[in-house]
Amino acid sequence: MKILAIETSCDETAASVLEAKGGRFSILSNIIASQIKIHAKTGGVVPEVAAREHVEKIIPIVKKAIKGKVDLIAVTAGPGLATSLSVGVETAKALAYIWKKPIVAVNHLAGHVYANWLDNRKIEFPILCLIVSGGHTELVLMKKHLDFKIIGSTRDDAAGEAFDKVAKILKLGYPGGPEIAKRVKGKDKIKFPRPMIKSNDFDFSFSGLKTAVLYYHKDHKKQINEICTAFQNAVIDVLVTKTKKAARKYKVKTVLLGGGVAANQALRNKIKQELNCNPPQMKYTTDNAAMIAAAGYFMAKQKQFTPWQKLDIDPNWELGQKFKPLPR
Ligand code: KG4
Ligand code: ZN
């Protein structure tokens, strides 16, 4: 089965063709047009600007990705920016109509989880997945394919969002994650709080940590590297400690990591060391369409198709909830 996947939920226009043969995946193409340079000017994503960019890029990107005939179209239908999602979804509908091929509407976060299947390793259930993206921080339990149960999530900022906001406070540019990561040096010289690290649930909170950085920075303007180091260590400490606690409680066989913050080398090292978790390859951590194709494959196996006439976006689609396309 050959799958064309399209992803436009935020600020990357992406298309990929994945071939599934005998239960193994080969990625025939994985094309991404990043809008980072454009959004760096405004210090964050302006939804209308992002959507216009998607409109301009989507056809050339899909054209570049296409490798012969495909059997299925997978498209991110939510969660994400409504106007960005619409570009990918409408393109997928047009192609499905012309080619007479089925469509699967993929949840973006399910894509981040399924990035872990792209390198064909054996993954055993039950699974605990830590999703850390720009908009979400969630601990998800999976007893079987596509069966997502959120056992913890952030009460305010997501981990990626905290990286981006702290980078803004420190005037380091957008996106903040890589900017902060490259300034991390040695051991902590500052002690920042580790919000909710000892709470009796699996929820997170990062906005207090961001405020602690704001106040510390006001009085110590020159300690940029020290602040980056202590901030990143605090975030990783909370993420790994809570994941460990959840893995123990739910007696899972596998721990997975997904989402843009999974590109952080220190987090990758620590979760590998402490939880025996093999993070996905770097290129599949931040937004891409190959991960949407992987999730789409398992959806197709379960015949979870959506006719193009009924397909629309679901900008607030929560993982584990039923897909509810916006009514026309
Ligand atoms: O998954 P993603 O590409 O987009 C969303 O679905 O939101 O995640 C983007 C997030 C941004 O907040 C970015 O700052 C963060 O991932 N990120 C990182 C790193 N690379 C990207 N955070 C920490 N360290 C990194 N190396
Ligand atoms: Zn993402």
Side-chain angles (χ1 to χ4, degrees), residues 253-317:
K253 283 206 169 135
T254 312
V255 174
L256 300 177
L257 180 67
V261 183
N264 185 283
Q265 196 57 57
L267 172 62
R268 297 170 74 88
N269 292 346
K270 185 141 185 193
I271 200 158
K272 214 172 191 170
Q273 214 174 54
E274 305 214 1
L275 280 148
N276 201 15
C277 159
N278 257 323
Q281 281 183 57
M282 282 294 213
K283 61 181 170 191
Y284 303 130
T285 56
T286 47
D287 289 351
N288 65 87
M291 67 183 195
I292 303 302
Y297 168 77
F298 290 100
M299 289 179 74
K301 267 181 70 170
Q302 295 187 10
K303 306 213 172 348
Q304 295 187 25
F305 305 109
T306 305
W308 69 263
Q309 295 91 335
K310 292 204 173 145
L311 180 59
D312 207 322
I313 58 169
D314 183 355
N316 301 313
W317 188 6

Side-chain angles (χ1 to χ4, degrees), residues 158-226:
E161 192 177 355
F163 269 94
D164 294 336
K165 287 181 175 170
V166 163
K168 211 164 188 176
I169 293 169
L170 305 179
K171 299 192 175 61
L172 300 180
Y174 174 87
E179 292 299 327
I180 290 181
K182 71 183 180 209
R183 289 171 175 84
V184 171
K185 306 248 150 64
K187 290 222 162 77
D188 278 6
K189 295 203 176 86
I190 313 159
K191 190 81 187 156
F192 282 137
R194 272 126 173 91
M196 299 186 71
I197 199 165
K198 292 203 172 112
S199 71
N200 274 329
D201 49 31
F202 300 108
D203 283 346
F204 301 93
S205 160
F206 292 106
S207 89
L209 173 59
K210 170 195 68 192
T211 311
V213 170
L214 178 75
Y215 285 119
Y216 188 88
H217 177 243
K218 267 191 180 153
D219 299 327
H220 306 84
K221 293 266 189 230
K222 289 204 173 126
Q223 295 184 19
I224 300 295
N225 290 357
E226 291 81 354

Side-chain angles (χ1 to χ4, degrees), residues 31-316:
I31 315 289
I32 303 172
S34 169
Q35 303 177 3
I36 282 182
K37 277 193 187 141
I38 294 155
H39 301 306
K41 288 183 205 150
T42 42
V45 179
V46 178
E48 218 174 285
V49 176
R52 286 294 314 155
E53 277 298 308
H54 286 309
V55 168
E56 234 183 274
K57 296 278 158 58
I58 190 75
I59 300 293
I61 292 296
V62 168
K63 226 174 134 183
K64 225 170 152 178
I66 291 281
K67 302 275 174 215
K69 284 194 178 156
V70 303
D71 309 295
L72 172 74
I73 299 169
V75 63
T76 306
L81 300 169
T83 46
S84 287
L85 286 165
S86 280
V87 179
V89 164
E90 294 305 316
T91 307
K93 282 160 72 172
L95 293 174
Y97 169 69
I98 298 163
W99 293 341
K100 298 189 173 51
K101 296 296 170 194
I103 302 190
V104 286
V106 179
N107 181 295
H108 179 77
L109 300 170
H112 278 306
V113 173
Y114 276 92
N116 285 283
W117 271 263
L118 288 172
D119 57 8
N120 294 307
R121 65 193 148 102
K122 197 167 181 301
I123 297 177
E124 278 189 286
F125 293 97
I127 293 166
L128 175 70
C129 184
L130 171 65
I131 303 177
V132 273
S133 72
H136 294 82
T137 298
E138 281 169 6
L139 274 168
V140 181
L141 201 62
M142 290 172 75
K143 290 193 175 150
K144 53 183 195 273
H145 274 301
L146 301 169
D147 170 31
F148 306 105
K149 189 177 163 216
I150 300 177
I151 58 163
S153 55
T154 181
R155 299 197 176 168
D156 40 60
D157 295 347
E161 192 177 355
F163 269 94
D164 294 336
K165 287 181 175 170
V166 163
K168 211 164 188 176
I169 293 169
L170 305 179
K171 299 192 175 61
L172 300 180
Y174 174 87
E179 292 299 327
I180 290 181
K182 71 183 180 209
R183 289 171 175 84
V184 171
K185 306 248 150 64
K187 290 222 162 77
D188 278 6
K189 295 203 176 86
I190 313 159
K191 190 81 187 156
F192 282 137
R194 272 126 173 91
M196 299 186 71
I197 199 165
K198 292 203 172 112
S199 71
N200 274 329
D201 49 31
F202 300 108
D203 283 346
F204 301 93
S205 160
F206 292 106
S207 89
L209 173 59
K210 170 195 68 192
T211 311
V213 170
L214 178 75
Y215 285 119
Y216 188 88
H217 177 243
K218 267 191 180 153
D219 299 327
H220 306 84
K221 293 266 189 230
K222 289 204 173 126
Q223 295 184 19
I224 300 295
N225 290 357
E226 291 81 354
I227 294 174
C228 289
T229 306
F231 165 75
Q232 183 178 290
N233 285 340
V235 173
I236 294 177
D237 196 7
V238 176
L239 290 175
V240 175
T241 304
K242 294 215 105 159
T243 307
K244 241 167 132 173
K245 201 168 129 187
R248 221 177 293 133
K249 169 159 180 190
Y250 291 97
K251 300 190 174 60
V252 297
K253 283 206 169 135
T254 312
V255 174
L256 300 177
L257 180 67
V261 183
N264 185 283
Q265 196 57 57
L267 172 62
R268 297 170 74 88
N269 292 346
K270 185 141 185 193
I271 200 158
K272 214 172 191 170
Q273 214 174 54
E274 305 214 1
L275 280 148
N276 201 15
C277 159
N278 257 323
Q281 281 183 57
M282 282 294 213
K283 61 181 170 191
Y284 303 130
T285 56
T286 47
D287 289 351
N288 65 87
M291 67 183 195
I292 303 302
Y297 168 77
F298 290 100
M299 289 179 74
K301 267 181 70 170
Q302 295 187 10
K303 306 213 172 348
Q304 295 187 25
F305 305 109
T306 305
W308 69 263
Q309 295 91 335
K310 292 204 173 145
L311 180 59
D312 207 322
I313 58 169
D314 183 355
N316 301 313

